[in-house]
Structures are given as structure tokens and as C-alpha cells.
Amino acid sequence: WGICQLICTPLRYQISFLTLQKEAVYPSYPFPTDQAYKLKVHEYMDYYNKKRLHSSIGMIPSNLKRGTI
């Protein structure tokens, strides 16, 4: 998983790599630079943890389930 491993490792249990690829990377591929790729991954991780509703935890963002904002 290359560059994503460096970025996603701390959150590897919160966001699946396949979800990241399907929802964030593939629609924007190809990226002009590695920095653009990293920025997209960070933006998606923020969305995934703070805004995206998760049906498995009652249609709330995961940060509310963990008690962090």
C-alpha cells in the first residue's frame, strides 16, 4: 500500500484501505504529485471520522461514538 501506509497507519483500525481507495482515491486518480495524494487521503480521513455517518454505530460519525470531537 505504499504511501498510504505512512499516512493511514495510526487509523488503520478506523478506516479500511478498500473504502479509502473506492471513495477517495479512485475518483480522483491520477494525482499530479504525491503531495496531492497525501492531501486527498488526509481530507478523506477527516471526513470519514468526523462527518460520515456509520450505520453500524447508529448513523452517527465515528468521532461521536468515541467521544472525541
Side-chain angles (χ1 to χ4, degrees):
W1 22 312
I3 203 168
C4 185
Q5 186 174 17
L6 299 173
I7 298 169
C8 301
T9 300
L11 298 174
R12 68 179 174 264
Y13 298 110
Q14 297 173 19
I15 183 171
S16 81
F17 180 70
L18 294 177
T19 299
L20 172 70
Q21 290 290 92
K22 181 178 74 174
E23 295 184 10
V25 175
Y26 290 152
S28 302
Y29 188 81
F31 292 92
T33 64
D34 285 349
Q35 189 62 30
Y37 177 76
K38 290 178 185 179
L39 179 61
K40 186 65 171 181
V41 170
H42 280 288
E43 288 172 353
Y44 182 75
M45 288 176 11
D46 186 60
Y47 160 76
Y48 186 88
N49 288 311
K50 296 180 181 177
K51 299 175 185 164
R52 187 174 186 263
L53 303 179
H54 301 270
S55 62
S56 63
I57 58 173
M59 296 307 291
I60 61 172
S62 61
N63 67 327
L64 293 179
K65 177 70 174 177
R66 289 190 318 267
T68 60
I69 294 184

